[in-house]
Amino acid sequence: MGDLTVLIHCADQKGIIAKTTDCIHQHHGNIVYIDQYVDCTKSAFFMRVACEFEDKTSVWYFTKAFKEGPSLQFTMSVEIYTGTDIPKMALFVSKYDHCLYDILSRYKSKEWQVHIPFIISNHPDLNHVADSFGIPFYHIPITKQTKAEAELKQLELLRKHQIDFIVLARYMQIVSPKLIDAYPNAIINIHHSFLPAFPGAKPYHSAHERGVKIIGATSHYITDELDAGPIIQQDVASVTHSNSIADLVTKGRDLEKIVLSRAIKLHLQHKVMVYGNRTIVFN
Amino acid sequence: MGDLTVLIHCADQKGIIAKTTDCIHQHHGNIVYIDQYVDCTKSAFFMRVACEFEDKTSVWYFTKAFKEGPSLQFTMSVEIYTGTDIPKMALFVSKYDHCLYDILSRYKSKEWQVHIPFIISNHPDLNHVADSFGIPFYHIPITKQTKAEAELKQLELLRKHQIDFIVLARYMQIVSPKLIDAYPNAIINIHHSFLPAFPGAKPYHSAHERGVKIIGATSHYITDELDAGPIIQQDVASVTHSNSIADLVTKGRDLEKIVLSRAIKLHLQHKVMVYGNRTIVFN
Amino acid sequence: MGDLTVLIHCADQKGIIAKTTDCIHQHHGNIVYIDQYVDCTKSAFFMRVACEFEDKTSVWYFTKAFKEGPSLQFTMSVEIYTGTDIPKMALFVSKYDHCLYDILSRYKSKEWQVHIPFIISNHPDLNHVADSFGIPFYHIPITKQTKAEAELKQLELLRKHQIDFIVLARYMQIVSPKLIDAYPNAIINIHHSFLPAFPGAKPYHSAHERGVKIIGATSHYITDELDAGPIIQQDVASVTHSNSIADLVTKGRDLEKIVLSRAIKLHLQHKVMVYGNRTIVFN
Amino acid sequence: MGDLTVLIHCADQKGIIAKTTDCIHQHHGNIVYIDQYVDCTKSAFFMRVACEFEDKTSVWYFTKAFKEGPSLQFTMSVEIYTGTDIPKMALFVSKYDHCLYDILSRYKSKEWQVHIPFIISNHPDLNHVADSFGIPFYHIPITKQTKAEAELKQLELLRKHQIDFIVLARYMQIVSPKLIDAYPNAIINIHHSFLPAFPGAKPYHSAHERGVKIIGATSHYITDELDAGPIIQQDVASVTHSNSIADLVTKGRDLEKIVLSRAIKLHLQHKVMVYGNRTIVFN
């Protein structure tokens, strides 16, 4: 079969949709879903097309024709994904287990089309969780002195397993530019606040101190600036004056795991496009 | 200028999007936003295209070409709206004023592109609200004996003012088939429950009796079956055991007015398509 | 130490709070949190008091004095729980694993004060999940012919392990009156709809058919009438016309697991009181 | 009749609830609702008791006994409100009308127990709204030069009408310390963001720039520090990449009016207590 997801980004111009859909039509493709967005202030065009072709040969001819035709004509940046590619995802964790449990449960339930070849942690604490789900666990301790060396070990593992993207499931270390450069817009983090409120450490303490009536969680791509990367998903929960910091932490755990898992799913479905520091989420 | 909104519905076939967008492109139109949906189980295709043309002449030529071309080829049901048509909306009320206040406030604030030529009520109570906003108010009492006659008066007013659609803003009368037939998928009601739970009278009493933890409101198009028409919007609010029926009524008022106003806005923007007893809401 | 949770229910009368809190005060207890509710229409009084005493002896004297004093005076129904009692919870499952994974993850994370001595299932499918978390799994198949016998086996296990309450984590069998009578207001079910909408089988199919814009999940105590027991918690999620039944099922899984786990937590904290077919949830 | 609401704040000590409820009981009062909260980290006690007495004489004796008894004994800060006092609320507006319409609609519907003797504005634009609802409107223009003088005029009006609290319904001026000192914890503002994110001017622009997926509104008491006072209520709404700044403004209007009106209602019901920079909201 020939299921394709085509992501297109270019300057806004007349005729992009017409030429693109015509090219699909000419190769006997069927459009299942089309999502499109124009940023009028920046004249930027974005589109995600899910389509089906009769066979792999049609896909091959369409791809060739599209790259030599509309893609060239409109100076597009294009990504094409087939339904048979299963992405490889690496998990980074520290000591908190709720996001890890949630992700591995979905993995075992086959909720997602993904491979998880291994888990990396700077602490040994969650080894038993990895074991109970049968996933290799690499304990790579990190100290100020060993940070550079530890990241080389991480990169080696990532490359050896041809990892496509990384999920920081409450990983309590700042990721260095070297790793970020190797995985641009491909490292998903979960931050336990409603960003941009309460970036950095101990957001639940700050939320309690400020007396907010709603707490949140934010999943975003990691960039060089801490907790300031493109936001993929956010969600919130009500709290009251009677909730202690410990209560916020407990309530927040459910938010964190749901918001992180939603972001992973959107990323896996190629529904997220990054533009500047914002995301277009076709959902 | 030539802003157009085109609504398309037909059986799903290959090439619909390509031919439609190509036709727009050929007439130098620019697609601002395209929304599309295929009901796979019923092979039904739906699309909403917002586009801009250079002038009224281009619009005229495009419309002609589209009706003679893709529309015919794919046996489409097509609706085309221009940005300069301001729809006419009639309000039906009884004794509750919260939805009426909310709608008239938005109207006076020019939040919507709409005309409200008059308000009809089966009770005189809200005449003063209509007066304070400067809208004509027609008191048409209804009893079992006078119902048929009263509806004729209503229809006469609706026709005289060339009303496009009707909003029942907590109108406490069952609308007869005669009116429904005259305004198919064009009478918007607000029901004060999370349908299909608690249809009919006194839903807050039933919700309290059942001990639900969440109440809701539902805006829908009126059909012959009571509270069973196509749903446009729903929203909910949390309640607790400590909320009395009166509390539910009070909380519900805010839900009702927001959910009804959202439905009105979606209808005005031609973002709602009805298919069977369901709506496609392009939002 | 002497942490106590006292649940009180009686007819509404003057002086209940004064006499109760005075009794705590006389025995040098400290009130940490007091929640109270009066159902005015039925003149029914409900209270939950969390308090601390200096030692077990004080607790003993307070309990005696309270039972001989205010409890007798106001004809109260009283439940007293100490902080050192860890309740025993049995899990019933069938083939769906998401609620099971969520519950066992929280259990292993020590999020709750509870023991889970075993899991019962009418299918063998989830044995591997129980194994990976190290919990005994009893496969008790059920057919029309064997249902009575199977329930006797269930009851035997429940009694042998002195189970305090049962959680039906998407258990796809109707529980018989015998089990319900043995565990009144102590069998928690999760139903995958916003009750009272869509009781019974296949609620996501019905929700899709009706075209609702919001789906829900409901946790409730099991009573003899199907899906009609006292509601503990509900939550909802937005859906659109573009969501297939399969999408609703997937979205619903996250709702179900969160809503069920919240109900379990409230039950464990003795924050739920049942009155008629409604719950008082002190939260 | 003798309905009382008693607000109590003092250092946490044993016996406060017992002595307070006993004092009510001794004077034949009936407790309708009791809400209590202890800030354990600061050993601070808060309580709100709604109670009914047989007549005004009982109220008088209770009040005397309470002030000479428990209040003195526990060094309480006490506020007592009777059900017959109708508070006086002043409205400050500028050019946006949505909060004003919402408040005046509720006022006319008698949703709240409140008097609104007048509206003050630094612009003449909303005079017609005040007129249509029959409320006196004072246009007091403010420039840098006239600010001090204008505030004197405001204070004069506030004093003349014995205003109890002020609502800034999208009033686009910074209130000076003189006014804040005259109305401590009695000036309610609505800020159009999810504080502490996006304080100050143009929060919707900042929210759009940052690419958040949820926007919010926050009602809070005004303090000397801009947008940093005690939060009373917050609520949020989902947004997507496709929402322009204008869309956020429109969506935000509904949030703002609902969140502000909820705060006003809580304030009117004496359900808000301020402690440091946080609120205890007994709801």
Side-chain angles (χ1 to χ4, degrees):
Chain A
M1 268 299 291
D3 288 5
L4 279 196
T5 302
V6 185
L7 299 185
I8 294 167
H9 167 46
C10 59
D12 192 27
Q13 300 149 77
K14 279 188 187 174
I16 305 173
I17 301 175
K19 295 289 181 190
T20 300
T21 54
D22 187 56
C23 184
I24 293 167
H25 184 51
Q26 295 299 329
H27 293 82
H28 313 291
N30 188 38
I31 293 172
V32 178
Y33 215 84
I34 191 166
D35 277 302
Q36 156 266 2
Y37 168 64
V38 174
D39 184 330
C40 295
T41 60
K42 290 169 185 163
S43 281
F45 178 92
F46 304 87
M47 189 158 67
R48 178 185 184 275
V49 186
C51 45
E52 298 166 341
F53 289 87
E54 278 156 23
D55 49 37
K56 289 200 171 171
T57 314
S58 310
V59 166
W60 190 88
Y61 277 108
F62 160 72
T63 306
K64 189 172 182 303
F66 187 70
K67 291 199 167 163
E68 290 169 358
S71 175
L72 214 62
Q73 180 187 351
F74 296 110
T75 325
M76 291 174 175
S77 147
V78 176
E79 295 169 50
I80 298 182
Y81 301 96
T82 70
T84 50
D85 298 337
I86 309 291
K88 292 194 193 69
M89 166 171 119
L91 282 177
F92 282 38
V93 300
S94 291
K95 293 185 169 186
Y96 295 109
D97 59 7
H98 52 288
C99 287
L100 180 61
Y101 268 122
D102 194 61
I103 289 167
L104 295 184
S105 300
R106 292 172 198 269
Y107 183 48
K108 286 291 164 186
S109 297
K110 304 201 189 327
E111 192 175 316
W112 296 332
Q113 292 280 319
V114 73
H115 286 312
I116 305 181
F118 62 85
I119 297 164
I120 283 176
S121 181
N122 56 330
H123 293 286
D125 308 53
L126 301 183
N127 204 334
H128 71 101
V129 181
D131 282 355
S132 74
F133 284 85
I135 318 275
F137 181 91
Y138 297 99
H139 174 215
I140 304 179
I142 294 183
T143 62
K144 267 190 192 171
Q145 286 72 34
T146 66
K147 181 142 192 175
E149 189 193 345
E151 290 208 327
L152 285 180
K153 277 189 203 168
Q154 292 175 347
L155 271 170
E156 200 181 325
L157 271 169
L158 295 166
R159 279 171 191 151
K160 186 179 146 198
H161 290 274
Q162 296 180 284
I163 292 298
D164 292 298
F165 71 107
I166 300 167
V167 170
L168 310 182
R170 295 299 311 274
Y171 179 62
M172 307 306 279
Q173 283 280 326
I174 292 175
V175 173
S176 76
K178 184 176 287 184
L179 205 59
I180 297 170
D181 289 351
Y183 285 90
N185 296 328
I187 307 177
I188 300 174
N189 186 42
I190 180 72
H191 183 74
H192 41 315
S193 85
F194 186 85
L195 289 175
F198 312 125
K202 296 195 175 268
Y204 292 126
H205 288 70
S206 307
H208 190 265
E209 174 72 19
R210 179 62 187 92
V212 294
K213 301 302 183 190
I214 292 176
I215 57 168
T218 305
S219 52
H220 62 97
Y221 290 115
I222 288 281
T223 57
D224 286 350
E225 193 180 341
L226 184 66
D227 296 331
I231 293 170
I232 306 167
Q233 278 276 297
Q234 300 189 290
D235 208 347
V236 296
S238 292
V239 296
T240 76
H241 63 272
S242 71
N243 291 124
S244 64
I245 293 172
D247 293 337
L248 301 194
V249 169
T250 301
K251 276 207 171 191
R253 276 200 293 255
D254 280 2
L255 277 180
E256 293 163 31
K257 70 190 194 191
I258 295 289
V259 170
L260 178 55
S261 286
R262 276 189 210 145
I264 293 171
K265 185 172 184 183
L266 289 167
H267 185 90
L268 284 171
Q269 294 174 314
H270 312 297
K271 289 192 168 173
V272 189
M273 298 183 76
V274 175
Y275 181 57
N277 203 45
R278 308 175 72 221
T279 59
I280 289 108
V281 178
F282 290 126
N283 196 18
Chain B
M1 266 300 291
D3 289 3
L4 280 196
T5 301
V6 185
L7 299 185
I8 294 167
H9 167 45
C10 59
D12 192 27
Q13 301 148 76
K14 279 189 188 174
I16 306 173
I17 302 176
K19 295 289 181 190
T20 300
T21 55
D22 187 56
C23 183
I24 294 168
H25 184 51
Q26 296 299 329
H27 293 82
H28 313 292
N30 189 38
I31 293 171
V32 178
Y33 214 84
I34 191 166
D35 276 302
Q36 159 265 1
Y37 168 65
V38 174
D39 184 328
C40 295
T41 60
K42 291 169 185 162
S43 282
F45 178 92
F46 304 88
M47 189 158 67
R48 179 186 185 274
V49 187
C51 46
E52 299 166 341
F53 289 86
E54 276 156 24
D55 48 38
K56 289 200 170 172
T57 315
S58 310
V59 166
W60 190 88
Y61 278 108
F62 160 74
T63 304
K64 189 172 182 303
F66 187 71
K67 291 198 167 166
E68 292 169 357
S71 176
L72 216 61
Q73 179 186 352
F74 297 109
T75 325
M76 290 174 176
S77 148
V78 177
E79 295 170 48
I80 297 181
Y81 300 96
T82 69
T84 49
D85 298 337
I86 309 290
K88 292 194 194 67
M89 165 172 119
L91 281 177
F92 282 38
V93 299
S94 291
K95 293 186 169 185
Y96 295 110
D97 61 6
H98 53 288
C99 287
L100 180 61
Y101 268 123
D102 195 60
I103 290 167
L104 296 184
S105 300
R106 292 172 199 269
Y107 182 49
K108 285 293 165 186
S109 296
K110 304 197 191 327
E111 191 175 315
W112 297 331
Q113 292 280 319
V114 73
H115 285 313
I116 304 181
F118 61 85
I119 297 165
I120 283 177
S121 181
N122 55 330
H123 293 285
D125 307 53
L126 302 182
N127 204 334
H128 72 102
V129 181
D131 283 354
S132 73
F133 284 86
I135 318 275
F137 180 92
Y138 296 99
H139 174 214
I140 304 179
I142 295 184
T143 63
K144 265 190 192 171
Q145 286 70 35
T146 65
K147 183 143 189 170
E149 187 192 346
E151 288 208 327
L152 285 180
K153 277 190 203 168
Q154 291 176 348
L155 271 169
E156 198 182 326
L157 271 169
L158 295 166
R159 280 173 191 147
K160 185 180 148 199
H161 289 275
Q162 297 179 287
I163 292 299
D164 294 298
F165 70 108
I166 300 167
V167 169
L168 311 182
R170 296 298 311 274
Y171 178 63
M172 306 308 278
Q173 283 280 326
I174 291 175
V175 174
S176 76
K178 184 175 287 185
L179 206 58
I180 297 171
D181 289 350
Y183 286 91
N185 296 327
I187 308 178
I188 301 175
N189 186 42
I190 179 73
H191 183 74
H192 40 316
S193 85
F194 185 86
L195 290 175
F198 312 125
K202 297 196 174 268
Y204 292 126
H205 289 71
S206 307
H208 190 265
E209 174 71 20
R210 179 62 188 93
V212 295
K213 301 302 181 188
I214 292 177
I215 56 168
T218 305
S219 53
H220 63 99
Y221 289 116
I222 288 282
T223 58
D224 286 349
E225 193 181 340
L226 184 67
D227 296 332
I231 294 171
I232 306 169
Q233 279 275 296
Q234 299 188 292
D235 207 349
V236 296
S238 293
V239 297
T240 77
H241 63 272
S242 71
N243 291 122
S244 65
I245 293 172
D247 292 338
L248 301 194
V249 170
T250 302
K251 276 207 170 192
R253 276 200 293 256
D254 280 2
L255 276 179
E256 293 163 30
K257 69 191 196 191
I258 296 288
V259 170
L260 178 56
S261 286
R262 276 190 209 144
I264 294 171
K265 185 173 183 183
L266 289 167
H267 184 91
L268 284 171
Q269 294 174 316
H270 312 296
K271 290 191 168 175
V272 189
M273 298 183 76
V274 175
Y275 181 58
N277 204 44
R278 308 175 71 220
T279 59
I280 288 109
V281 178
F282 289 125
N283 196 17
Chain C
M1 268 300 291
D3 288 4
L4 280 196
T5 301
V6 186
L7 298 185
I8 293 167
H9 166 47
C10 58
D12 192 27
Q13 300 149 76
K14 279 189 189 174
I16 306 173
I17 302 176
K19 294 290 181 191
T20 300
T21 55
D22 188 55
C23 184
I24 293 168
H25 184 50
Q26 296 299 329
H27 292 83
H28 312 292
N30 188 39
I31 293 171
V32 178
Y33 214 85
I34 191 166
D35 277 302
Q36 158 264 3
Y37 168 66
V38 174
D39 184 329
C40 296
T41 60
K42 291 169 185 162
S43 282
F45 179 91
F46 304 87
M47 188 159 67
R48 179 186 185 273
V49 187
C51 46
E52 299 165 341
F53 289 86
E54 276 156 24
D55 49 37
K56 290 200 171 172
T57 315
S58 312
V59 166
W60 189 89
Y61 278 107
F62 160 73
T63 305
K64 188 173 182 301
F66 187 70
K67 292 199 166 164
E68 292 170 357
S71 175
L72 215 61
Q73 180 187 352
F74 296 109
T75 325
M76 291 174 175
S77 148
V78 177
E79 295 169 49
I80 298 183
Y81 301 95
T82 69
T84 49
D85 298 336
I86 309 291
K88 292 194 194 66
M89 165 172 120
L91 281 177
F92 283 37
V93 299
S94 291
K95 293 187 168 183
Y96 295 109
D97 60 7
H98 53 287
C99 287
L100 180 62
Y101 267 123
D102 195 60
I103 290 167
L104 296 184
S105 301
R106 292 172 199 269
Y107 182 48
K108 287 292 165 186
S109 298
K110 304 198 190 328
E111 191 175 315
W112 298 331
Q113 293 279 319
V114 72
H115 286 310
I116 304 180
F118 61 86
I119 297 164
I120 283 177
S121 181
N122 56 330
H123 293 286
D125 308 52
L126 302 182
N127 204 334
H128 72 101
V129 181
D131 283 353
S132 73
F133 283 86
I135 318 276
F137 181 92
Y138 297 100
H139 174 214
I140 304 179
I142 295 183
T143 63
K144 268 189 190 171
Q145 286 71 34
T146 65
K147 182 143 190 171
E149 188 192 346
E151 289 208 328
L152 284 180
K153 277 190 203 169
Q154 292 176 348
L155 271 169
E156 199 182 326
L157 272 169
L158 295 166
R159 279 171 191 150
K160 186 180 147 197
H161 289 276
Q162 296 179 286
I163 291 300
D164 293 298
F165 71 107
I166 300 167
V167 170
L168 310 182
R170 294 301 309 275
Y171 178 64
M172 307 307 279
Q173 283 281 326
I174 291 175
V175 174
S176 76
K178 184 175 287 185
L179 205 59
I180 297 170
D181 289 350
Y183 286 90
N185 296 327
I187 309 178
I188 301 174
N189 186 43
I190 180 73
H191 183 74
H192 41 315
S193 85
F194 185 85
L195 290 176
F198 313 125
K202 296 197 176 266
Y204 292 126
H205 288 71
S206 307
H208 190 265
E209 174 71 19
R210 179 64 187 91
V212 295
K213 301 302 183 188
I214 292 176
I215 57 167
T218 304
S219 52
H220 63 98
Y221 289 116
I222 289 281
T223 57
D224 286 350
E225 193 182 340
L226 184 67
D227 297 331
I231 293 171
I232 307 168
Q233 279 275 296
Q234 300 188 290
D235 207 349
V236 296
S238 293
V239 295
T240 77
H241 62 273
S242 72
N243 291 123
S244 64
I245 293 172
D247 292 337
L248 301 194
V249 170
T250 302
K251 277 207 171 193
R253 276 200 293 256
D254 280 1
L255 276 180
E256 293 163 30
K257 69 191 196 192
I258 295 290
V259 170
L260 178 56
S261 286
R262 277 190 209 145
I264 294 171
K265 186 173 183 182
L266 289 166
H267 184 90
L268 284 171
Q269 294 173 317
H270 312 297
K271 290 191 168 174
V272 189
M273 297 184 76
V274 175
Y275 181 56
N277 203 46
R278 307 175 73 221
T279 60
I280 289 107
V281 178
F282 289 126
N283 195 18
Chain D
M1 268 300 292
D3 288 3
L4 280 196
T5 302
V6 186
L7 298 185
I8 294 167
H9 167 45
C10 59
D12 191 27
Q13 300 149 78
K14 279 188 186 173
I16 305 173
I17 302 176
K19 295 289 182 191
T20 300
T21 55
D22 187 56
C23 184
I24 294 167
H25 185 51
Q26 295 298 330
H27 293 82
H28 312 292
N30 188 39
I31 293 172
V32 178
Y33 214 85
I34 190 166
D35 276 302
Q36 157 265 1
Y37 168 65
V38 175
D39 184 329
C40 295
T41 60
K42 290 169 185 162
S43 281
F45 178 91
F46 304 86
M47 189 157 69
R48 178 185 185 276
V49 187
C51 45
E52 299 166 340
F53 288 87
E54 277 156 23
D55 49 37
K56 288 201 172 171
T57 315
S58 310
V59 167
W60 190 89
Y61 278 108
F62 160 73
T63 305
K64 188 172 183 303
F66 188 69
K67 291 199 167 163
E68 291 169 359
S71 176
L72 215 61
Q73 180 187 351
F74 296 109
T75 325
M76 291 175 175
S77 147
V78 176
E79 294 170 50
I80 297 182
Y81 300 96
T82 69
T84 48
D85 298 336
I86 309 291
K88 292 194 194 68
M89 166 172 118
L91 281 177
F92 282 38
V93 299
S94 291
K95 294 186 168 184
Y96 295 110
D97 59 7
H98 52 287
C99 287
L100 180 61
Y101 268 122
D102 194 61
I103 290 167
L104 296 184
S105 301
R106 292 172 198 269
Y107 183 49
K108 285 292 164 187
S109 297
K110 303 199 190 326
E111 190 176 315
W112 297 331
Q113 292 280 318
V114 72
H115 286 311
I116 305 180
F118 61 86
I119 298 164
I120 284 176
S121 180
N122 56 329
H123 293 286
D125 308 54
L126 302 182
N127 204 334
H128 71 103
V129 181
D131 283 354
S132 73
F133 284 85
I135 318 276
F137 180 91
Y138 296 99
H139 175 214
I140 305 179
I142 295 184
T143 62
K144 267 189 191 171
Q145 286 71 35
T146 65
K147 181 142 191 172
E149 189 192 344
E151 290 209 325
L152 285 180
K153 278 190 202 168
Q154 292 176 347
L155 270 169
E156 200 181 325
L157 271 168
L158 294 166
R159 279 174 192 145
K160 186 179 148 199
H161 290 274
Q162 297 179 285
I163 292 299
D164 294 297
F165 71 107
I166 300 166
V167 170
L168 310 182
R170 296 299 310 275
Y171 179 62
M172 306 307 278
Q173 283 280 326
I174 292 175
V175 173
S176 77
K178 184 175 289 185
L179 205 60
I180 297 170
D181 289 349
Y183 286 91
N185 296 327
I187 308 177
I188 300 174
N189 186 42
I190 180 72
H191 183 74
H192 41 316
S193 85
F194 186 84
L195 289 175
F198 313 124
K202 296 197 174 265
Y204 292 126
H205 288 71
S206 306
H208 191 264
E209 174 71 20
R210 179 63 188 91
V212 294
K213 300 302 182 189
I214 291 176
I215 58 168
T218 304
S219 53
H220 63 99
Y221 290 116
I222 289 281
T223 58
D224 286 350
E225 192 181 341
L226 184 67
D227 296 332
I231 293 170
I232 306 168
Q233 278 276 296
Q234 300 189 290
D235 207 348
V236 296
S238 292
V239 295
T240 75
H241 63 272
S242 72
N243 291 123
S244 64
I245 293 172
D247 292 337
L248 302 194
V249 170
T250 302
K251 276 206 170 192
R253 277 199 293 254
D254 280 0
L255 276 180
E256 293 163 31
K257 70 190 195 192
I258 295 289
V259 170
L260 178 56
S261 286
R262 277 190 210 146
I264 293 170
K265 184 172 184 183
L266 289 167
H267 184 90
L268 284 171
Q269 294 174 316
H270 312 297
K271 290 192 168 174
V272 189
M273 298 184 74
V274 175
Y275 181 56
N277 203 46
R278 308 176 71 220
T279 59
I280 289 107
V281 178
F282 289 126
N283 196 17

